[in-house]
Amino acid sequence: MPILTGGQVMPGNGLPANVFTKAGAVAANNFAGQAVVGSLAIDTTAGVLYICTATNGSTTATWVTVGSQT
């Protein structure tokens, strides 16, 4: 099995994953056009963390809650 060394794993379309903050729950399409798969978003009101699991790169972004935060 080949071994890869060096370099950087790039998510999505080659853009680095970002971290976004928002007061209130993160909803579908928030940060669309900015987020790539693997980007994180933090609800600063409730302290809930989300991860972007799908995007078309311009108009849609799908966010899923990370873990079992309450």
Side-chain angles (χ1 to χ4, degrees):
M1 177 157 85
I3 297 174
L4 300 175
T5 59
Q8 181 179 3
V9 175
M10 302 299 285
N13 59 2
L15 298 173
N18 296 307
V19 177
F20 302 97
T21 58
K22 179 179 187 275
V26 176
N29 304 327
N30 282 163
F31 311 110
Q34 301 171 317
V36 298
V37 172
S39 289
L40 302 174
I42 303 166
D43 170 356
T44 58
T45 302
V48 177
L49 178 65
Y50 298 83
I51 188 167
C52 180
T53 57
T55 179
N56 70 359
S58 60
T59 60
T60 64
T62 302
W63 297 94
V64 176
T65 306
V66 175
S68 57
Q69 304 153 31
T70 56

